[in-house]
Amino acid sequence: FNFSKINNWAAKKAKGNILLFLNNDTAVINKDWLANMVEHIQRKEVGAVGAKLLYANDLIQHAGVILGVGGVANHAFSNFDSSDNFYYGNLNVVRNYTACSAACLMVKKSVYSSINGMDENLKIAFNDIDLCMKIRNLGLLVTYTPYAQLYHYESKTRGYDLSLEKKTRLKLEEEILFKKWGGQLKNDPYYNRNLNDKK
């Protein structure tokens, strides 16, 4: 199984100008989710758009990605109640991030092609982080909209990375990402480090 390779193959076959990467373990919540993503991807300064993803219990699974928190990266507001405005309402406002999850990610096809799509060395993990960072390197934004909401039954198809083999693969992919992006993974321009201060 190579998530990046599958998506690169599909992107080459797609005839439209906009690509939507959507996991098979998702379920739509609001009917206008797609229109709410297209609203932003058609902006010239935007290269990718991510959605608000919930666990089955209505807690947040993904509301954007923050680099360098809890390892390589972590989902913003993970496990918070989806109706909670939390920190200055950031959970429920359109905003930019360095990355969003490819479980539901809209990308301009021209942009995807110009950066050679997903890195096929990142077979399972971090391919979306790498993709979004390449998009940002073009000077384009990665935008999150809370107005596209889906359930994401995370790892329902593949299972979790608990076996020694899967943990080893995850570690290798983490090393690939650090080799490519280095210190940028520890310095997310969309995150205030003071929020992570343990003093």
Side-chain angles (χ1 to χ4, degrees):
F1 182 84
N2 186 323
F3 184 79
S4 297
K5 193 171 187 177
I6 290 167
N7 285 316
N8 287 342
W9 177 87
K12 286 174 185 171
K13 300 289 183 184
K15 294 187 168 90
N17 296 322
I18 298 170
L19 303 172
L20 176 70
F21 302 102
L22 184 64
N23 277 24
N24 64 352
D25 57 357
T26 57
V28 172
I29 295 172
N30 60 311
K31 291 180 181 177
D32 56 351
W33 69 283
L34 203 52
N36 288 323
M37 294 182 81
V38 171
E39 174 184 13
H40 297 287
I41 200 65
Q42 64 186 339
R43 292 164 46 205
K44 65 179 182 180
E45 69 274 20
V46 174
V49 179
K52 184 179 186 180
L53 305 176
L54 310 182
Y55 290 117
N57 61 2
D58 289 320
L59 297 182
I60 294 293
Q61 189 268 337
H62 167 272
V65 174
I66 300 169
L67 302 183
V69 175
V72 172
N74 222 321
H75 290 177
F77 307 108
S78 182
N79 287 305
F80 279 87
D81 189 292
S82 62
S83 62
D84 189 348
N85 277 322
F86 194 54
Y87 184 72
Y88 288 97
N90 275 323
L91 174 58
N92 293 308
V93 297
V94 174
R95 56 164 294 184
N96 299 318
Y97 279 100
T98 300
C100 282
S101 171
C104 180
L105 187 70
M106 189 173 279
V107 182
K108 288 184 173 93
K109 187 175 181 182
S110 60
V111 170
Y112 193 83
S113 298
S114 73
I115 56 175
N116 297 315
M118 292 186 181
D119 184 340
E120 294 182 9
N121 293 309
L122 298 168
K123 296 178 182 180
I124 309 294
F126 309 123
N127 38 53
D128 45 7
I129 306 296
D130 179 65
L131 178 72
C132 288
M133 291 183 77
K134 290 192 291 184
I135 289 170
R136 295 242 321 122
N137 258 9
L138 295 177
L140 297 171
L141 299 173
V142 175
T143 300
Y144 156 79
T145 176
Y147 302 109
Q149 297 183 38
L150 299 91
Y151 286 111
H152 181 204
Y153 308 112
E154 191 179 32
S155 301
K156 188 173 183 180
T157 305
R158 287 187 53 257
Y160 290 96
D161 290 338
L162 300 177
S163 70
L164 179 58
E165 180 185 352
K166 288 182 178 180
K167 285 180 181 177
T168 302
R169 190 259 318 140
L170 183 64
K171 183 69 177 165
L172 175 63
E173 292 179 358
E174 187 175 297
E175 288 169 4
I176 291 169
L177 199 69
F178 270 110
K179 191 172 182 179
K180 287 181 78 170
W181 298 103
Q184 290 183 61
L185 294 172
K186 297 293 184 184
N187 189 28
D188 193 324
Y190 291 103
Y191 182 69
N192 185 335
R193 290 288 151 198
N194 293 308
L195 296 173
N196 209 32
D197 193 352
K198 303 240 190 277
K199 292 178 184 176

Short mmCIF file of all heavy atoms in Angstrom, two decimals, residues 29 52-55 57-63 76-93 144 146-147 149-151:
data_model
loop_
_atom_site.label_atom_id
_atom_site.label_comp_id
_atom_site.label_asym_id
_atom_site.label_seq_id
_atom_site.Cartn_x
_atom_site.Cartn_y
_atom_site.Cartn_z
N ILE A 29 -20.84 15.36 6.58
CA ILE A 29 -21.75 15.86 7.60
C ILE A 29 -22.66 16.95 7.01
O ILE A 29 -23.87 16.86 7.13
CB ILE A 29 -20.98 16.43 8.81
CG1 ILE A 29 -20.21 15.29 9.51
CG2 ILE A 29 -21.93 17.12 9.79
CD1 ILE A 29 -19.26 15.74 10.60
N LYS A 52 -12.69 20.35 8.19
CA LYS A 52 -12.84 20.02 9.60
C LYS A 52 -13.29 18.55 9.69
O LYS A 52 -14.35 18.19 9.17
CB LYS A 52 -13.89 20.93 10.24
CG LYS A 52 -14.08 20.75 11.73
CD LYS A 52 -15.14 21.77 12.21
CE LYS A 52 -15.30 21.78 13.70
NZ LYS A 52 -16.33 22.76 14.11
N LEU A 53 -12.47 17.72 10.32
CA LEU A 53 -12.76 16.29 10.41
C LEU A 53 -13.03 15.89 11.85
O LEU A 53 -12.30 16.30 12.76
CB LEU A 53 -11.58 15.48 9.86
CG LEU A 53 -11.14 15.83 8.44
CD1 LEU A 53 -9.91 15.03 8.05
CD2 LEU A 53 -12.27 15.60 7.44
N LEU A 54 -14.08 15.12 12.04
CA LEU A 54 -14.49 14.71 13.39
C LEU A 54 -14.40 13.20 13.56
O LEU A 54 -14.59 12.44 12.61
CB LEU A 54 -15.94 15.12 13.66
CG LEU A 54 -16.35 16.57 13.38
CD1 LEU A 54 -17.81 16.77 13.75
CD2 LEU A 54 -15.47 17.55 14.13
N TYR A 55 -14.12 12.79 14.80
CA TYR A 55 -14.25 11.38 15.16
C TYR A 55 -15.75 11.05 15.24
O TYR A 55 -16.59 11.95 15.27
CB TYR A 55 -13.60 11.10 16.51
CG TYR A 55 -12.09 11.17 16.51
CD1 TYR A 55 -11.43 12.13 17.28
CD2 TYR A 55 -11.33 10.27 15.78
CE1 TYR A 55 -10.03 12.19 17.31
CE2 TYR A 55 -9.94 10.32 15.80
CZ TYR A 55 -9.31 11.28 16.57
OH TYR A 55 -7.93 11.33 16.59
N ASN A 57 -17.44 10.29 17.70
CA ASN A 57 -18.04 10.84 18.93
C ASN A 57 -18.16 12.37 18.88
O ASN A 57 -18.40 13.02 19.90
CB ASN A 57 -17.24 10.40 20.15
CG ASN A 57 -15.79 10.89 20.13
OD1 ASN A 57 -15.38 11.61 19.21
ND2 ASN A 57 -15.01 10.49 21.11
N ASP A 58 -17.96 12.97 17.69
CA ASP A 58 -18.06 14.41 17.47
C ASP A 58 -16.94 15.24 18.09
O ASP A 58 -17.04 16.46 18.17
CB ASP A 58 -19.42 14.96 17.90
CG ASP A 58 -20.53 14.52 16.97
OD1 ASP A 58 -20.30 14.51 15.75
OD2 ASP A 58 -21.63 14.18 17.46
N LEU A 59 -15.86 14.59 18.49
CA LEU A 59 -14.67 15.32 18.91
C LEU A 59 -13.80 15.56 17.67
O LEU A 59 -13.87 14.83 16.69
CB LEU A 59 -13.89 14.55 19.97
CG LEU A 59 -14.62 14.30 21.30
CD1 LEU A 59 -13.71 13.57 22.28
CD2 LEU A 59 -15.13 15.61 21.91
N ILE A 60 -12.96 16.59 17.74
CA ILE A 60 -12.12 16.96 16.61
C ILE A 60 -11.05 15.92 16.33
O ILE A 60 -10.31 15.52 17.23
CB ILE A 60 -11.44 18.33 16.86
CG1 ILE A 60 -12.49 19.44 16.92
CG2 ILE A 60 -10.39 18.64 15.79
CD1 ILE A 60 -13.20 19.72 15.64
N GLN A 61 -10.98 15.50 15.07
CA GLN A 61 -9.87 14.66 14.62
C GLN A 61 -8.84 15.55 13.92
O GLN A 61 -7.65 15.40 14.12
CB GLN A 61 -10.38 13.57 13.66
CG GLN A 61 -9.34 12.50 13.31
CD GLN A 61 -8.54 12.82 12.07
OE1 GLN A 61 -8.95 13.57 11.20
NE2 GLN A 61 -7.36 12.23 11.98
N HIS A 62 -9.32 16.52 13.14
CA HIS A 62 -8.42 17.41 12.40
C HIS A 62 -9.08 18.77 12.20
O HIS A 62 -10.23 18.85 11.76
CB HIS A 62 -8.10 16.81 11.04
CG HIS A 62 -7.44 17.76 10.09
ND1 HIS A 62 -8.16 18.60 9.26
CD2 HIS A 62 -6.13 18.02 9.84
CE1 HIS A 62 -7.33 19.33 8.54
NE2 HIS A 62 -6.10 19.01 8.87
N ALA A 63 -8.34 19.82 12.53
CA ALA A 63 -8.78 21.19 12.23
C ALA A 63 -7.54 21.99 11.83
O ALA A 63 -7.31 23.09 12.31
CB ALA A 63 -9.47 21.80 13.45
N ALA A 76 -4.36 20.21 14.98
CA ALA A 76 -4.81 21.29 15.87
C ALA A 76 -6.15 20.92 16.51
O ALA A 76 -7.02 20.35 15.85
CB ALA A 76 -4.95 22.58 15.07
N PHE A 77 -6.28 21.23 17.78
CA PHE A 77 -7.52 21.06 18.55
C PHE A 77 -8.01 19.61 18.61
O PHE A 77 -9.19 19.35 18.81
CB PHE A 77 -8.63 21.96 17.98
CG PHE A 77 -8.23 23.40 17.87
CD1 PHE A 77 -7.99 23.98 16.63
CD2 PHE A 77 -8.07 24.17 19.01
CE1 PHE A 77 -7.60 25.31 16.53
CE2 PHE A 77 -7.68 25.51 18.92
CZ PHE A 77 -7.46 26.07 17.68
N SER A 78 -7.09 18.67 18.44
CA SER A 78 -7.44 17.25 18.47
C SER A 78 -8.13 16.89 19.78
O SER A 78 -7.69 17.26 20.87
CB SER A 78 -6.17 16.41 18.32
OG SER A 78 -6.50 15.04 18.32
N ASN A 79 -9.25 16.19 19.66
CA ASN A 79 -10.06 15.69 20.78
C ASN A 79 -10.84 16.77 21.53
O ASN A 79 -11.39 16.49 22.60
CB ASN A 79 -9.22 14.85 21.75
CG ASN A 79 -8.90 13.50 21.16
OD1 ASN A 79 -9.79 12.76 20.75
ND2 ASN A 79 -7.61 13.18 21.07
N PHE A 80 -10.89 17.98 20.99
CA PHE A 80 -11.77 18.99 21.57
C PHE A 80 -13.17 18.82 21.00
O PHE A 80 -13.35 18.28 19.91
CB PHE A 80 -11.27 20.41 21.26
CG PHE A 80 -10.17 20.87 22.18
CD1 PHE A 80 -8.85 20.58 21.88
CD2 PHE A 80 -10.48 21.56 23.34
CE1 PHE A 80 -7.84 21.00 22.73
CE2 PHE A 80 -9.47 21.98 24.19
CZ PHE A 80 -8.14 21.69 23.90
N ASP A 81 -14.16 19.29 21.73
CA ASP A 81 -15.53 19.26 21.25
C ASP A 81 -15.64 20.12 20.00
O ASP A 81 -15.14 21.24 19.96
CB ASP A 81 -16.47 19.78 22.34
CG ASP A 81 -17.94 19.57 21.98
OD1 ASP A 81 -18.41 20.23 21.03
OD2 ASP A 81 -18.60 18.75 22.63
N SER A 82 -16.29 19.61 18.97
CA SER A 82 -16.35 20.31 17.69
C SER A 82 -17.10 21.63 17.74
O SER A 82 -16.94 22.48 16.88
CB SER A 82 -16.98 19.41 16.62
OG SER A 82 -18.31 19.10 16.98
N SER A 83 -17.92 21.83 18.77
CA SER A 83 -18.68 23.08 18.88
C SER A 83 -17.97 24.10 19.76
O SER A 83 -18.43 25.24 19.89
CB SER A 83 -20.08 22.79 19.45
OG SER A 83 -19.97 22.25 20.76
N ASP A 84 -16.84 23.73 20.36
CA ASP A 84 -16.10 24.61 21.26
C ASP A 84 -15.28 25.60 20.43
O ASP A 84 -14.54 25.22 19.54
CB ASP A 84 -15.16 23.76 22.13
CG ASP A 84 -14.51 24.57 23.24
OD1 ASP A 84 -14.57 25.81 23.22
OD2 ASP A 84 -13.93 23.94 24.14
N ASN A 85 -15.42 26.89 20.70
CA ASN A 85 -14.64 27.89 19.97
C ASN A 85 -13.19 27.92 20.40
O ASN A 85 -12.31 28.33 19.67
CB ASN A 85 -15.25 29.29 20.15
CG ASN A 85 -16.38 29.51 19.16
OD1 ASN A 85 -16.29 29.08 18.02
ND2 ASN A 85 -17.44 30.14 19.60
N PHE A 86 -12.92 27.51 21.64
CA PHE A 86 -11.58 27.39 22.19
C PHE A 86 -10.77 28.68 21.99
O PHE A 86 -11.27 29.75 22.21
CB PHE A 86 -10.87 26.14 21.63
CG PHE A 86 -9.63 25.76 22.39
CD1 PHE A 86 -9.67 25.56 23.76
CD2 PHE A 86 -8.42 25.62 21.75
CE1 PHE A 86 -8.52 25.23 24.47
CE2 PHE A 86 -7.27 25.27 22.45
CZ PHE A 86 -7.33 25.08 23.80
N TYR A 87 -9.53 28.58 21.54
CA TYR A 87 -8.60 29.70 21.52
C TYR A 87 -8.98 30.74 20.47
O TYR A 87 -8.76 30.55 19.28
CB TYR A 87 -7.18 29.15 21.27
CG TYR A 87 -6.10 30.19 21.33
CD1 TYR A 87 -5.72 30.75 22.55
CD2 TYR A 87 -5.44 30.61 20.19
CE1 TYR A 87 -4.72 31.70 22.63
CE2 TYR A 87 -4.44 31.56 20.24
CZ TYR A 87 -4.08 32.10 21.47
OH TYR A 87 -3.09 33.05 21.53
N TYR A 88 -9.58 31.83 20.91
CA TYR A 88 -9.98 32.94 20.05
C TYR A 88 -10.82 32.50 18.84
O TYR A 88 -10.76 33.09 17.77
CB TYR A 88 -8.75 33.73 19.56
CG TYR A 88 -8.11 34.55 20.64
CD1 TYR A 88 -7.01 34.05 21.34
CD2 TYR A 88 -8.61 35.79 21.00
CE1 TYR A 88 -6.42 34.78 22.36
CE2 TYR A 88 -8.03 36.54 22.01
CZ TYR A 88 -6.93 36.03 22.70
OH TYR A 88 -6.36 36.75 23.70
N GLY A 89 -11.57 31.43 19.02
CA GLY A 89 -12.45 30.96 17.97
C GLY A 89 -11.76 30.30 16.79
O GLY A 89 -12.39 30.02 15.77
N ASN A 90 -10.45 30.02 16.93
CA ASN A 90 -9.67 29.50 15.79
C ASN A 90 -10.17 28.17 15.25
O ASN A 90 -9.95 27.85 14.09
CB ASN A 90 -8.20 29.34 16.18
CG ASN A 90 -7.43 30.64 15.99
OD1 ASN A 90 -7.68 31.39 15.07
ND2 ASN A 90 -6.51 30.91 16.90
N LEU A 91 -10.86 27.40 16.07
CA LEU A 91 -11.38 26.11 15.63
C LEU A 91 -12.46 26.29 14.56
O LEU A 91 -12.59 25.46 13.67
CB LEU A 91 -11.94 25.35 16.84
CG LEU A 91 -12.66 24.05 16.60
CD1 LEU A 91 -11.78 23.05 15.88
CD2 LEU A 91 -13.14 23.46 17.92
N ASN A 92 -13.20 27.37 14.67
CA ASN A 92 -14.38 27.54 13.81
C ASN A 92 -14.33 28.76 12.90
O ASN A 92 -15.35 29.34 12.57
CB ASN A 92 -15.64 27.57 14.69
CG ASN A 92 -15.87 26.23 15.35
OD1 ASN A 92 -15.90 25.20 14.69
ND2 ASN A 92 -16.04 26.22 16.67
N VAL A 93 -13.11 29.15 12.50
CA VAL A 93 -12.96 30.23 11.52
C VAL A 93 -12.08 29.75 10.37
O VAL A 93 -11.22 28.88 10.55
CB VAL A 93 -12.35 31.51 12.14
CG1 VAL A 93 -13.25 32.10 13.20
CG2 VAL A 93 -10.96 31.25 12.69
N TYR A 144 -7.68 26.30 5.78
CA TYR A 144 -8.60 25.39 6.48
C TYR A 144 -9.97 26.04 6.55
O TYR A 144 -10.09 27.22 6.87
CB TYR A 144 -8.07 25.11 7.90
CG TYR A 144 -9.11 24.70 8.90
CD1 TYR A 144 -9.59 23.39 8.94
CD2 TYR A 144 -9.63 25.61 9.82
CE1 TYR A 144 -10.54 22.99 9.87
CE2 TYR A 144 -10.59 25.24 10.75
CZ TYR A 144 -11.04 23.93 10.77
OH TYR A 144 -12.00 23.55 11.69
N PRO A 146 -13.75 25.44 8.38
CA PRO A 146 -14.60 24.64 9.27
C PRO A 146 -15.98 24.40 8.67
O PRO A 146 -16.79 23.68 9.25
CB PRO A 146 -14.69 25.52 10.53
CG PRO A 146 -14.60 26.91 10.00
CD PRO A 146 -13.64 26.83 8.83
N TYR A 147 -16.24 25.01 7.51
CA TYR A 147 -17.55 24.89 6.88
C TYR A 147 -17.64 23.68 5.94
O TYR A 147 -18.67 23.47 5.30
CB TYR A 147 -17.90 26.19 6.15
CG TYR A 147 -17.91 27.37 7.10
CD1 TYR A 147 -16.91 28.34 7.04
CD2 TYR A 147 -18.88 27.47 8.09
CE1 TYR A 147 -16.90 29.40 7.94
CE2 TYR A 147 -18.88 28.52 8.99
CZ TYR A 147 -17.89 29.49 8.90
OH TYR A 147 -17.87 30.53 9.80
N GLN A 149 -17.38 19.89 6.73
CA GLN A 149 -17.27 18.97 7.87
C GLN A 149 -17.56 17.53 7.45
O GLN A 149 -18.55 17.26 6.78
CB GLN A 149 -18.24 19.39 8.97
CG GLN A 149 -17.94 20.76 9.55
CD GLN A 149 -18.88 21.12 10.70
OE1 GLN A 149 -19.23 20.26 11.50
NE2 GLN A 149 -19.29 22.36 10.76
N LEU A 150 -16.67 16.65 7.89
CA LEU A 150 -16.83 15.23 7.61
C LEU A 150 -16.42 14.43 8.84
O LEU A 150 -15.59 14.89 9.64
CB LEU A 150 -15.97 14.78 6.43
CG LEU A 150 -16.23 15.41 5.06
CD1 LEU A 150 -15.37 16.65 4.87
CD2 LEU A 150 -15.97 14.41 3.96
N TYR A 151 -16.98 13.25 8.97
CA TYR A 151 -16.46 12.31 9.95
C TYR A 151 -15.27 11.61 9.32
O TYR A 151 -15.28 11.30 8.11
CB TYR A 151 -17.52 11.26 10.33
CG TYR A 151 -18.61 11.80 11.23
CD1 TYR A 151 -19.91 11.95 10.76
CD2 TYR A 151 -18.33 12.17 12.55
CE1 TYR A 151 -20.91 12.45 11.58
CE2 TYR A 151 -19.32 12.68 13.37
CZ TYR A 151 -20.61 12.82 12.88
OH TYR A 151 -21.59 13.32 13.70
#
